[in-house]
């Protein structure tokens, strides 16, 4: 769908903002953005626009009109680029920095979007999504489809590839996979670490995902830095060793401290920073029964690079929290 010109006009005012600036619009729940801040805003949306000194609202309107004609993955929702702009507009960091009411801003945003039959909302992780009011189709459940990458996305893909070439397995997990799965909407993304391998039970990473019904499904990941194949040189990169770890992961429940309950896994990712050979995939399928085989999801280097580029994931090597280890989540019994 294409949003109307009136919606574009009001959305441009929201982006320019009304709080904290002498030339702001009436939308006081949105932070004021100067010329340089507007350029930075669209760069954060993966759009290579630079403010040319023109009137702020007119310049933003021109860009939004162009983005409105862009690729539409879900026909009942605006273009992918417009959805990305809306998500950036509601980024929580901006409202915390300016001490503004993000929920009040969401109400204002929905007054603008409502005339086109769409509604913005926050998920359990605080991320903004767009829903079609009539069909209830939401951007949160739309598929990430293969498409040509923009120059900015290609640059990010190359950056991630360089990182994968030099990162250790722990760095691969903590600095790429954790932020990537969070960006994709997974909750409680937890890296177990390697200090005590005996307690991993085949889980280098675990997380949960909330379904539109409100229910949760649980995932773990068995992560390898090197190629996974069917050769017998190294059991750690050999599918036979991973097969044993997958069985262990499926048999041992994880403890969710938010619910204070143990939960069996619904799916297990087998992830490689290199490649997973066809022989390895076939061998795993042969040695797992049909019930266990349906729980397995493969993800190798090419998929990681494309996902990282499309989802705008930021590597945490330069701005890393104190720790990604949540070993304290384990119950003391």
């Amino acid at each position: 769908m294409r949003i109307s010109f009136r919606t574009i006009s009001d959305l441009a005012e929201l982006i320019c903002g009304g709080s904290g600036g002498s030339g702001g619009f009436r939308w006081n729940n949105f932070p004021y953005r100067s010329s340089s801040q507007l350029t930075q805003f669209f760069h954060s949306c993966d759009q290579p626009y630079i403010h040319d000194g023109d009137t702020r609202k007119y310049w933003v309107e021109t860009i939004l009109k162009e983005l409105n004609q862009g690729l539409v993955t879900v026909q009942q929702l605006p273009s992918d680029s417009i959805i990305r702009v809306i998500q950036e507009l509601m980024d929580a960091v901006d409202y915390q920095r300016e001490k503004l009411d993000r929920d009040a801003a969401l109400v204002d945003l929905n007054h603008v979007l409502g005339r086109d039959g769409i509604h913005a909302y926050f998920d359990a992780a605080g991320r903004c999504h767009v829903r079609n009011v009539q069909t209830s189709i939401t951007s949160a459940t739309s598929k990430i489809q293969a498409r040509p990458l923009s120059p900015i996305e290609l640059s990010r893909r190359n950056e991630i590839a360089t990182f994968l070439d030099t990162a250790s397995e722990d760095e691969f997990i903590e600095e790429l996979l954790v932020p990537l799965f969070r960006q994709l909407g997974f909750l409680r993304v937890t890296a177990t670490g390697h200090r005590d391998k005996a307690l991993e039970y085949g889980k280098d990473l675990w997380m949960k995902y909330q379904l539109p019904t409100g229910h949760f499904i649980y995932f773990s990941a068995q992560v390898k830095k090197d190629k996974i194949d069917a050769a017998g040189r190294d059991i750690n990169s050999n599918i036979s060793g991973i097969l044993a770890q997958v069985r262990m992961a499926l048999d041992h429940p994880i403890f969710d401290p938010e619910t204070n309950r143990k939960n069996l896994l619904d799916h297990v990712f087998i992830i490689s920073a290199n490649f997973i050979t066809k022989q390895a995939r076939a061998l795993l399928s042969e040695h797992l029964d049909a019930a266990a085989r349906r729980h397995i999801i493969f993800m190798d280097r090419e998929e990681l690079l494309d996902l990282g580029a499309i989802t705008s994931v930021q590597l945490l090597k330069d701005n890393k929290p104190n720790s990604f280890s949540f070993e304290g989540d384990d119950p003391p019994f």
Side-chain angles (χ1 to χ4, degrees), residues 202-203 205-207 218-222 249 265 267-270:
K203 308 177 190 73
L205 191 71
W206 77 267
M207 55 210 156
Y218 288 84
F219 296 78
S220 79
Q222 180 58 222
L265 293 171
H267 295 286
V268 177
F269 283 100
I270 297 178

Side-chain angles (χ1 to χ4, degrees), residues 46-266:
D46 301 322
Q47 302 297 332
Y49 298 103
I50 300 175
H51 189 240
D52 56 7
D54 203 347
T55 304
R56 292 183 308 133
K57 178 183 176 181
Y58 175 79
W59 182 78
V60 174
E61 279 184 358
T62 302
I63 293 175
L64 294 181
K65 288 176 185 177
E66 181 177 336
L67 299 181
N68 194 36
Q69 301 302 318
L71 174 69
V72 177
T73 300
V74 181
Q75 294 301 318
Q76 293 86 352
L77 295 175
S79 71
D80 297 359
S81 297
I82 290 292
I83 292 176
R84 181 69 187 90
V85 166
I86 293 172
Q87 291 173 334
E88 185 64 25
L89 177 65
M90 300 307 300
D91 184 74
V93 175
D94 294 332
Y95 295 88
Q96 293 169 359
R97 183 189 303 117
E98 302 295 334
K99 297 181 180 180
L100 296 173
D101 189 340
R102 187 172 178 234
D103 292 328
L106 182 65
V107 172
D108 288 341
L109 174 63
N110 282 325
H111 281 313
V112 171
L113 299 179
R115 66 171 62 96
D116 289 327
I118 53 178
H119 177 85
Y121 68 97
F122 300 136
D123 64 14
R127 296 189 63 200
C128 183
H129 300 286
V130 178
R131 177 191 292 120
N132 185 295
V133 175
Q134 184 174 3
T135 65
S136 295
I137 290 178
T138 170
S139 60
T141 55
S142 62
K143 296 180 180 179
I144 298 177
Q145 298 186 352
R147 58 175 175 79
L149 299 179
S150 68
I152 293 178
E153 289 171 338
L154 287 173
S155 175
R156 185 181 298 112
R157 192 181 194 275
N158 293 334
E159 179 186 349
I160 297 173
T162 302
F163 169 77
L164 292 179
D165 290 338
T166 58
S168 66
E169 189 170 299
D170 281 340
E171 290 172 337
F172 173 38
I173 294 172
E174 296 173 359
E175 298 179 16
L176 176 60
L177 292 182
V178 169
L180 175 62
F181 281 114
R182 286 176 177 165
Q183 187 84 356
L184 292 171
F186 288 86
L187 305 174
R188 195 82 191 176
V189 184
T190 304
T192 59
H194 285 77
R195 286 192 299 177
D196 194 348
K197 285 181 176 290
L199 297 180
E200 282 188 12
Y201 297 115
K203 308 177 190 73
D204 293 318
L205 191 71
W206 77 267
M207 55 210 156
K208 60 184 180 180
Y209 188 85
Q210 187 173 25
L211 299 174
T213 59
H215 300 89
F216 290 96
I217 53 177
Y218 288 84
F219 296 78
S220 79
Q222 180 58 222
V223 182
K224 299 299 177 186
K225 180 186 185 313
D226 301 316
K227 181 176 72 172
I228 297 176
D229 58 26
R233 295 185 300 273
D234 181 5
I235 194 170
N236 288 322
S237 60
N238 185 282
I239 197 64
S240 61
I242 294 173
L243 176 63
Q245 293 171 323
V246 167
R247 285 173 171 161
M248 190 185 305
L250 292 173
D251 290 340
H252 288 81
I254 57 174
F255 177 77
D256 185 351
E258 293 181 348
T259 61
N260 201 33
R261 294 176 56 186
K262 290 185 176 181
N263 301 273
L264 288 172
L265 293 171
D266 296 285

